[in-house]
Amino acid sequence: VAILDRYGLLRAPSVLAHGVHLTKDEIAILAARGCAVAHCPLSNAYFANGHLDILPLIAMGCMVCLGTDVAGGYSPSMLNAMRQAVVTSRDFKLSSAADALSWRGALWLATVGGAKSLGMGKTIGKLEVGFDFDALLVDADGRCGREQAPYEARELVGESEDGPVLQPMALLERFINLGDDRNIRSVFVQGRPVLSA
């Protein structure tokens, strides 16, 4: 980090991968320069000779996003990267879910965190008016014409006086924790469909 800083290479929107051996002083430098760290938990487990506890980085003001590092690990899936980020965080917190990264935090790293880390946080990363429509259309049942699915959507329906009520946050959590490519019906980039199942 010191060498990169000496030559003026640490500036926004620089993104450094892995970060498993960063010191507190180096994290402070990255935060001060507006740099981000791409957390690649699967690749770290395979090749980086360490794991990254991202919560101290975030607490120190360093931007963090999520990466898959397709050269390392067994999966280029962002869903798997989110799951592994949660598992890695729980390992640092001795499996205490209360103090570890949640599935919501992992989703934030994969979306908003990625956009902000790339200096594009005003145009991508959120489903809001004025942002590019980059999104997945997810089939809640995940069957897509198959007999088996990773989970059943009907398990995620509550009851009200007016009848059954779909619980969207429960569906999203279940997709992130159990879903896979069978759930993805369409992919949109800048409002255009680029993949349909």
Side-chain angles (χ1 to χ4, degrees):
V1 171
I3 293 170
L4 294 172
D5 194 37
R6 184 179 317 134
Y7 290 100
L9 298 174
L10 295 181
R11 57 184 180 272
S14 295
V15 180
L16 291 80
H18 308 291
V20 297
H21 302 297
L22 290 171
T23 66
K24 285 186 179 182
D25 290 341
E26 290 171 331
I27 295 167
I29 291 170
L30 295 177
R33 305 291 184 268
C35 298
V37 173
H39 180 35
C40 305
L42 282 171
S43 181
N44 292 348
Y46 276 76
F47 299 113
N49 198 26
H51 298 283
L52 177 63
D53 186 359
I54 61 167
L55 298 181
L57 275 75
I58 294 168
M60 291 179 67
C62 185
M63 285 185 289
V64 178
C65 59
L66 196 58
T68 62
D69 189 356
V70 295
Y74 63 83
S75 174
S77 167
M78 189 57 70
L79 288 170
N80 284 336
M82 286 190 278
R83 295 171 191 144
Q84 189 63 39
V86 171
V87 169
T88 299
S89 182
R90 282 192 174 189
D91 282 348
F92 277 103
K93 304 303 177 194
L94 301 174
S95 296
S96 169
D99 298 326
L101 181 72
S102 68
W103 68 268
R104 290 176 188 204
L107 177 62
W108 189 94
L109 291 174
T111 55
V112 179
K116 287 184 174 188
S117 294
L118 295 171
M120 302 174 72
K122 294 183 180 179
T123 58
I124 65 171
K126 296 180 182 180
L127 295 176
E128 290 185 5
V129 174
F131 281 68
D132 291 346
F133 184 68
D134 299 331
L136 302 175
L137 176 61
V138 175
D139 176 2
D141 259 341
R143 292 187 188 281
C144 301
R146 299 182 175 110
E147 284 188 32
Q148 294 292 341
Y151 59 83
E152 297 288 331
R154 64 180 159 269
E155 297 170 4
L156 304 171
V157 177
E159 293 291 329
S160 76
E161 293 176 4
D162 300 322
V165 177
L166 187 66
Q167 299 180 22
M169 292 309 286
L171 281 171
L172 180 58
E173 180 180 10
R174 187 64 72 93
F175 169 65
I176 288 171
N177 288 324
L178 299 173
D180 60 29
D181 60 314
R182 292 174 290 178
N183 297 95
I184 300 172
R185 298 304 302 253
S186 299
V187 177
F188 294 86
V189 176
Q190 294 181 333
R192 293 185 303 275
V194 296
L195 179 70
S196 293

